[in-house]
Amino acid sequence: MNGRINQALNTQIHMELESSYLYLALSAYYDSKDLPGFAHWMREQSREEYGHAMRLFDYLLTRGAKVDLDTLGKPADGFTSPVIAFERVVAHEKRVTEAIHKLYLLALEEGDLATGVELQWFIQEQVEEEKSVSEVAAQLRWGNGEPMGLLMVDRDLAKRE
Ligand code: MG
């Protein structure tokens, strides 16, 4: 595997692990606000992000490329409200989508078609991620941060498998 692609994939593994860490921090935050549905949803999301990192990790190993894990930064904290914290999630997923699109374009530019195919799964996954988080954010905006609105969304999020 070409060095640029190898490095970029390691950077993406790092981003997925930091995403996992961010969602874990958010899970604890929502739990502290007595919103168990949100806390559950964030914990599942954290697990899913870890899965994304492992998918790329395994891909590098399969290709005989180098895995180069980096330091994880302290995740964001100081969330000011349950609604604002969720807006951060939407912004975060948009950044992840951008990073994956750039990575895909790099793979094509370098003629690494196998990596391109691998990344197509991630491109589709981001469409789903953005859809689900945008829907929740929209419901929260409707609820205007009122307790009843929050509790209804919380009950919904508790159902995530
Ligand atoms: Mg991800």
Side-chain angles (χ1 to χ4, degrees), residues 34-149:
D34 297 316
L35 290 165
F38 279 89
H40 166 75
W41 191 95
M42 291 293 168
R43 199 175 175 127
E44 287 303 311
Q45 188 70 13
S46 175
R47 197 196 308 272
E48 206 175 284
E49 298 302 341
Y50 176 76
H52 294 166
M54 292 314 291
R55 193 176 169 115
L56 291 172
F57 177 93
D58 285 335
Y59 176 69
L60 285 182
L61 295 181
T62 303
R63 289 285 306 272
K66 188 174 191 297
V67 169
D68 184 15
L69 298 176
D70 205 348
T71 318
L72 288 180
K74 185 173 166 55
D77 61 4
F79 306 112
T80 42
S81 84
V83 176
I84 292 169
F86 212 92
E87 292 290 348
R88 285 180 91 134
V89 168
V90 176
H92 179 75
E93 287 303 330
K94 285 187 176 159
R95 274 198 301 279
V96 173
T97 299
E98 242 173 74
I100 287 167
H101 287 181
K102 277 192 189 151
L103 190 49
Y104 182 70
L105 290 173
L106 177 69
L108 296 189
E109 192 186 306
E110 298 286 341
D112 188 339
L113 302 186
T115 297
V117 170
E118 177 66 22
L119 291 171
Q120 282 173 7
W121 182 88
F122 284 86
I123 291 170
Q124 284 178 327
E125 175 70 10
Q126 282 310 116
V127 172
E128 285 306 308
E129 297 279 29
E130 285 201 34
K131 178 174 184 275
S132 63
V133 298
S134 301
E135 279 172 3
V136 176
Q139 284 174 14
L140 289 174
R141 271 180 235 121
W142 275 110
N144 235 342
E146 295 297 326
M148 275 317 286

